[in-house]
mmCIF file of all heavy atoms in Angstrom:
data_model
loop_
_atom_site.group_PDB
_atom_site.id
_atom_site.type_symbol
_atom_site.label_atom_id
_atom_site.label_comp_id
_atom_site.label_asym_id
_atom_site.label_seq_id
_atom_site.Cartn_x
_atom_site.Cartn_y
_atom_site.Cartn_z
ATOM 1 N N GLY A 1 -30.119 63.386 -31.677
ATOM 2 C CA GLY A 1 -29.899 62.548 -30.517
ATOM 3 C C GLY A 1 -29.817 61.063 -30.792
ATOM 4 O O GLY A 1 -29.712 60.276 -29.849
ATOM 5 N N LYS A 2 -29.860 60.671 -32.060
ATOM 6 C CA LYS A 2 -29.822 59.257 -32.410
ATOM 7 C C LYS A 2 -28.631 58.950 -33.304
ATOM 8 O O LYS A 2 -28.052 59.838 -33.920
ATOM 9 C CB LYS A 2 -31.122 58.836 -33.112
ATOM 10 C CG LYS A 2 -32.372 58.963 -32.253
ATOM 11 C CD LYS A 2 -33.597 58.451 -32.984
ATOM 12 C CE LYS A 2 -34.836 58.539 -32.120
ATOM 13 N NZ LYS A 2 -36.038 58.036 -32.831
ATOM 14 N N GLU A 3 -28.286 57.668 -33.358
ATOM 15 C CA GLU A 3 -27.208 57.218 -34.224
ATOM 16 C C GLU A 3 -27.644 57.252 -35.683
ATOM 17 O O GLU A 3 -28.824 57.106 -36.001
ATOM 18 C CB GLU A 3 -26.785 55.801 -33.853
ATOM 19 C CG GLU A 3 -26.141 55.661 -32.487
ATOM 20 C CD GLU A 3 -24.739 56.205 -32.471
ATOM 21 O OE1 GLU A 3 -23.952 55.864 -33.380
ATOM 22 O OE2 GLU A 3 -24.416 56.986 -31.564
ATOM 23 N N ARG A 4 -26.689 57.451 -36.562
ATOM 24 C CA ARG A 4 -26.966 57.355 -37.981
ATOM 25 C C ARG A 4 -27.306 55.902 -38.311
ATOM 26 O O ARG A 4 -26.588 54.978 -37.910
ATOM 27 C CB ARG A 4 -25.765 57.825 -38.798
ATOM 28 C CG ARG A 4 -26.024 57.918 -40.287
ATOM 29 C CD ARG A 4 -24.908 58.664 -40.997
ATOM 30 N NE ARG A 4 -24.777 60.026 -40.509
ATOM 31 C CZ ARG A 4 -23.966 60.934 -41.034
ATOM 32 N NH1 ARG A 4 -23.207 60.618 -42.077
ATOM 33 N NH2 ARG A 4 -23.912 62.144 -40.511
ATOM 34 N N GLU A 5 -28.404 55.687 -39.046
ATOM 35 C CA GLU A 5 -28.859 54.338 -39.309
ATOM 36 C C GLU A 5 -29.009 54.062 -40.796
ATOM 37 O O GLU A 5 -29.272 54.955 -41.603
ATOM 38 C CB GLU A 5 -30.192 54.064 -38.591
ATOM 39 C CG GLU A 5 -31.357 54.879 -39.108
ATOM 40 C CD GLU A 5 -32.676 54.507 -38.441
ATOM 41 O OE1 GLU A 5 -32.707 53.546 -37.650
ATOM 42 O OE2 GLU A 5 -33.685 55.192 -38.722
ATOM 43 N N PHE A 6 -28.848 52.815 -41.120
ATOM 44 C CA PHE A 6 -28.984 52.321 -42.478
ATOM 45 C C PHE A 6 -30.435 52.402 -42.937
ATOM 46 O O PHE A 6 -31.361 52.101 -42.174
ATOM 47 C CB PHE A 6 -28.477 50.876 -42.516
ATOM 48 C CG PHE A 6 -29.044 50.041 -43.620
ATOM 49 C CD1 PHE A 6 -28.657 50.246 -44.935
ATOM 50 C CD2 PHE A 6 -29.943 49.038 -43.338
ATOM 51 C CE1 PHE A 6 -29.168 49.464 -45.952
ATOM 52 C CE2 PHE A 6 -30.460 48.246 -44.347
ATOM 53 C CZ PHE A 6 -30.069 48.465 -45.645
ATOM 54 N N VAL A 7 -30.650 52.812 -44.180
ATOM 55 C CA VAL A 7 -31.976 52.844 -44.782
ATOM 56 C C VAL A 7 -32.053 51.874 -45.961
ATOM 57 O O VAL A 7 -32.911 50.999 -46.002
ATOM 58 C CB VAL A 7 -32.359 54.256 -45.244
ATOM 59 C CG1 VAL A 7 -33.704 54.239 -45.967
ATOM 60 C CG2 VAL A 7 -32.404 55.217 -44.062
ATOM 61 N N ALA A 8 -31.164 52.035 -46.930
ATOM 62 C CA ALA A 8 -31.174 51.189 -48.115
ATOM 63 C C ALA A 8 -29.820 51.260 -48.801
ATOM 64 O O ALA A 8 -29.154 52.289 -48.760
ATOM 65 C CB ALA A 8 -32.278 51.612 -49.092
ATOM 66 N N VAL A 9 -29.420 50.171 -49.439
ATOM 67 C CA VAL A 9 -28.202 50.150 -50.236
ATOM 68 C C VAL A 9 -28.505 49.535 -51.589
ATOM 69 O O VAL A 9 -29.445 48.752 -51.733
ATOM 70 C CB VAL A 9 -27.050 49.375 -49.557
ATOM 71 C CG1 VAL A 9 -26.579 50.106 -48.315
ATOM 72 C CG2 VAL A 9 -27.469 47.956 -49.220
ATOM 73 N N ILE A 10 -27.687 49.882 -52.574
ATOM 74 C CA ILE A 10 -27.851 49.380 -53.926
ATOM 75 C C ILE A 10 -26.475 49.098 -54.501
ATOM 76 O O ILE A 10 -25.534 49.868 -54.300
ATOM 77 C CB ILE A 10 -28.652 50.382 -54.800
ATOM 78 C CG1 ILE A 10 -28.942 49.796 -56.179
ATOM 79 C CG2 ILE A 10 -27.915 51.718 -54.900
ATOM 80 C CD1 ILE A 10 -29.968 50.620 -56.963
ATOM 81 N N SER A 11 -26.346 47.982 -55.195
ATOM 82 C CA SER A 11 -25.062 47.599 -55.755
ATOM 83 C C SER A 11 -24.683 48.515 -56.915
ATOM 84 O O SER A 11 -25.505 49.275 -57.431
ATOM 85 C CB SER A 11 -25.093 46.144 -56.218
ATOM 86 O OG SER A 11 -26.097 45.940 -57.199
ATOM 87 N N TRP A 12 -23.434 48.410 -57.339
ATOM 88 C CA TRP A 12 -22.904 49.345 -58.332
ATOM 89 C C TRP A 12 -23.704 49.353 -59.632
ATOM 90 O O TRP A 12 -23.824 50.397 -60.288
ATOM 91 C CB TRP A 12 -21.438 49.022 -58.623
ATOM 92 C CG TRP A 12 -21.246 47.743 -59.391
ATOM 93 C CD1 TRP A 12 -21.146 46.483 -58.881
ATOM 94 C CD2 TRP A 12 -21.129 47.610 -60.802
ATOM 95 N NE1 TRP A 12 -20.974 45.570 -59.884
ATOM 96 C CE2 TRP A 12 -20.963 46.235 -61.076
ATOM 97 C CE3 TRP A 12 -21.141 48.514 -61.868
ATOM 98 C CZ2 TRP A 12 -20.825 45.749 -62.376
ATOM 99 C CZ3 TRP A 12 -20.999 48.028 -63.160
ATOM 100 C CH2 TRP A 12 -20.840 46.663 -63.405
ATOM 101 N N ASN A 13 -24.241 48.200 -60.023
ATOM 102 C CA ASN A 13 -25.000 48.109 -61.268
ATOM 103 C C ASN A 13 -26.504 48.102 -61.044
ATOM 104 O O ASN A 13 -27.264 47.910 -61.994
ATOM 105 C CB ASN A 13 -24.583 46.861 -62.041
ATOM 106 C CG ASN A 13 -24.849 45.575 -61.275
ATOM 107 O OD1 ASN A 13 -25.318 45.594 -60.142
ATOM 108 N ND2 ASN A 13 -24.540 44.451 -61.891
ATOM 109 N N GLY A 14 -26.929 48.310 -59.798
ATOM 110 C CA GLY A 14 -28.349 48.327 -59.483
ATOM 111 C C GLY A 14 -28.994 46.969 -59.374
ATOM 112 O O GLY A 14 -30.208 46.883 -59.163
ATOM 113 N N GLY A 15 -28.215 45.902 -59.503
ATOM 114 C CA GLY A 15 -28.779 44.570 -59.510
ATOM 115 C C GLY A 15 -29.225 44.045 -58.162
ATOM 116 O O GLY A 15 -30.079 43.153 -58.104
ATOM 117 N N ASN A 16 -28.651 44.566 -57.093
ATOM 118 C CA ASN A 16 -28.985 44.109 -55.745
ATOM 119 C C ASN A 16 -29.357 45.289 -54.867
ATOM 120 O O ASN A 16 -28.711 46.342 -54.925
ATOM 121 C CB ASN A 16 -27.813 43.355 -55.130
ATOM 122 C CG ASN A 16 -27.516 42.049 -55.840
ATOM 123 O OD1 ASN A 16 -28.416 41.268 -56.133
ATOM 124 N ND2 ASN A 16 -26.244 41.807 -56.125
ATOM 125 N N THR A 17 -30.386 45.109 -54.048
ATOM 126 C CA THR A 17 -30.794 46.123 -53.084
ATOM 127 C C THR A 17 -31.102 45.464 -51.752
ATOM 128 O O THR A 17 -31.542 44.319 -51.697
ATOM 129 C CB THR A 17 -32.034 46.902 -53.552
ATOM 130 O OG1 THR A 17 -33.110 45.988 -53.804
ATOM 131 C CG2 THR A 17 -31.731 47.678 -54.826
ATOM 132 N N VAL A 18 -30.870 46.200 -50.664
ATOM 133 C CA VAL A 18 -31.196 45.755 -49.320
ATOM 134 C C VAL A 18 -31.834 46.928 -48.588
ATOM 135 O O VAL A 18 -31.362 48.062 -48.697
ATOM 136 C CB VAL A 18 -29.959 45.263 -48.545
ATOM 137 C CG1 VAL A 18 -30.348 44.808 -47.137
ATOM 138 C CG2 VAL A 18 -29.282 44.114 -49.286
ATOM 139 N N TYR A 19 -32.912 46.645 -47.831
ATOM 140 C CA TYR A 19 -33.632 47.678 -47.114
ATOM 141 C C TYR A 19 -33.683 47.374 -45.627
ATOM 142 O O TYR A 19 -33.747 46.209 -45.217
ATOM 143 C CB TYR A 19 -35.072 47.793 -47.623
ATOM 144 C CG TYR A 19 -35.185 48.211 -49.063
ATOM 145 C CD1 TYR A 19 -35.243 47.270 -50.083
ATOM 146 C CD2 TYR A 19 -35.242 49.561 -49.400
ATOM 147 C CE1 TYR A 19 -35.349 47.662 -51.407
ATOM 148 C CE2 TYR A 19 -35.351 49.954 -50.722
ATOM 149 C CZ TYR A 19 -35.406 49.001 -51.721
ATOM 150 O OH TYR A 19 -35.515 49.391 -53.033
ATOM 151 N N ALA A 20 -33.672 48.427 -44.823
ATOM 152 C CA ALA A 20 -33.929 48.267 -43.404
ATOM 153 C C ALA A 20 -35.366 47.801 -43.206
ATOM 154 O O ALA A 20 -36.269 48.164 -43.963
ATOM 155 C CB ALA A 20 -33.696 49.587 -42.668
ATOM 156 N N ASP A 21 -35.585 46.995 -42.165
ATOM 157 C CA ASP A 21 -36.926 46.487 -41.905
ATOM 158 C C ASP A 21 -37.942 47.612 -41.717
ATOM 159 O O ASP A 21 -39.112 47.469 -42.076
ATOM 160 C CB ASP A 21 -36.926 45.587 -40.669
ATOM 161 C CG ASP A 21 -36.228 44.262 -40.916
ATOM 162 O OD1 ASP A 21 -36.070 43.868 -42.083
ATOM 163 O OD2 ASP A 21 -35.850 43.604 -39.926
ATOM 164 N N SER A 22 -37.505 48.729 -41.172
ATOM 165 C CA SER A 22 -38.406 49.829 -40.870
ATOM 166 C C SER A 22 -38.964 50.509 -42.120
ATOM 167 O O SER A 22 -39.994 51.187 -42.042
ATOM 168 C CB SER A 22 -37.701 50.867 -39.989
ATOM 169 O OG SER A 22 -36.550 51.378 -40.637
ATOM 170 N N VAL A 23 -38.300 50.342 -43.268
ATOM 171 C CA VAL A 23 -38.744 51.007 -44.494
ATOM 172 C C VAL A 23 -39.117 50.024 -45.594
ATOM 173 O O VAL A 23 -39.609 50.446 -46.646
ATOM 174 C CB VAL A 23 -37.672 51.980 -45.023
ATOM 175 C CG1 VAL A 23 -37.261 52.963 -43.939
ATOM 176 C CG2 VAL A 23 -36.459 51.225 -45.555
ATOM 177 N N LYS A 24 -38.905 48.747 -45.373
ATOM 178 C CA LYS A 24 -39.180 47.736 -46.390
ATOM 179 C C LYS A 24 -40.648 47.786 -46.797
ATOM 180 O O LYS A 24 -41.548 47.791 -45.956
ATOM 181 C CB LYS A 24 -38.808 46.355 -45.865
ATOM 182 C CG LYS A 24 -38.787 45.258 -46.919
ATOM 183 C CD LYS A 24 -38.272 43.946 -46.323
ATOM 184 C CE LYS A 24 -36.865 44.099 -45.777
ATOM 185 N NZ LYS A 24 -36.351 42.826 -45.208
ATOM 186 N N GLY A 25 -40.880 47.825 -48.100
ATOM 187 C CA GLY A 25 -42.232 47.907 -48.620
ATOM 188 C C GLY A 25 -42.731 49.320 -48.836
ATOM 189 O O GLY A 25 -43.742 49.509 -49.526
ATOM 190 N N ARG A 26 -42.059 50.301 -48.251
ATOM 191 C CA ARG A 26 -42.447 51.704 -48.400
ATOM 192 C C ARG A 26 -41.447 52.509 -49.224
ATOM 193 O O ARG A 26 -41.841 53.428 -49.939
ATOM 194 C CB ARG A 26 -42.600 52.373 -47.031
ATOM 195 C CG ARG A 26 -43.691 51.759 -46.167
ATOM 196 C CD ARG A 26 -43.936 52.608 -44.921
ATOM 197 N NE ARG A 26 -42.753 52.673 -44.060
ATOM 198 C CZ ARG A 26 -42.149 53.790 -43.692
ATOM 199 N NH1 ARG A 26 -42.629 54.970 -44.103
ATOM 200 N NH2 ARG A 26 -41.092 53.762 -42.899
ATOM 201 N N PHE A 27 -40.161 52.193 -49.111
ATOM 202 C CA PHE A 27 -39.103 52.931 -49.796
ATOM 203 C C PHE A 27 -38.532 52.088 -50.930
ATOM 204 O O PHE A 27 -38.457 50.856 -50.836
ATOM 205 C CB PHE A 27 -37.966 53.286 -48.842
ATOM 206 C CG PHE A 27 -38.302 54.301 -47.785
ATOM 207 C CD1 PHE A 27 -39.596 54.740 -47.581
ATOM 208 C CD2 PHE A 27 -37.292 54.826 -46.992
ATOM 209 C CE1 PHE A 27 -39.899 55.674 -46.602
ATOM 210 C CE2 PHE A 27 -37.577 55.761 -46.012
ATOM 211 C CZ PHE A 27 -38.884 56.186 -45.814
ATOM 212 N N THR A 28 -38.099 52.756 -51.998
ATOM 213 C CA THR A 28 -37.462 52.097 -53.123
ATOM 214 C C THR A 28 -36.214 52.871 -53.526
ATOM 215 O O THR A 28 -36.293 54.070 -53.797
ATOM 216 C CB THR A 28 -38.403 51.988 -54.330
ATOM 217 O OG1 THR A 28 -39.587 51.270 -53.964
ATOM 218 C CG2 THR A 28 -37.709 51.247 -55.474
ATOM 219 N N VAL A 29 -35.071 52.191 -53.567
ATOM 220 C CA VAL A 29 -33.825 52.811 -53.986
ATOM 221 C C VAL A 29 -33.534 52.409 -55.426
ATOM 222 O O VAL A 29 -33.791 51.265 -55.828
ATOM 223 C CB VAL A 29 -32.664 52.421 -53.052
ATOM 224 C CG1 VAL A 29 -32.396 50.918 -53.081
ATOM 225 C CG2 VAL A 29 -31.401 53.203 -53.412
ATOM 226 N N SER A 30 -33.026 53.343 -56.207
ATOM 227 C CA SER A 30 -32.667 53.075 -57.589
ATOM 228 C C SER A 30 -31.483 53.957 -57.970
ATOM 229 O O SER A 30 -31.116 54.869 -57.234
ATOM 230 C CB SER A 30 -33.860 53.326 -58.528
ATOM 231 O OG SER A 30 -34.277 54.676 -58.467
#
């Protein structure tokens, strides 16, 4: 019943990451 939402993204070489505020500090993308 909800829209698909962003969680985390990572650049092609892993050098940059961005997290949704709701998961920042708890989730890690690699």
Side-chain angles (χ1 to χ4, degrees):
K2 297 183 178 180
E3 294 286 312
R4 187 168 299 186
E5 66 176 355
F6 156 72
V7 176
V9 293
I10 186 168
S11 59
W12 71 274
N13 61 358
N16 293 314
T17 57
V18 180
Y19 297 91
D21 289 340
S22 59
V23 306
K24 192 174 300 181
R26 298 189 297 123
F27 291 8
T28 302
V29 63
S30 61

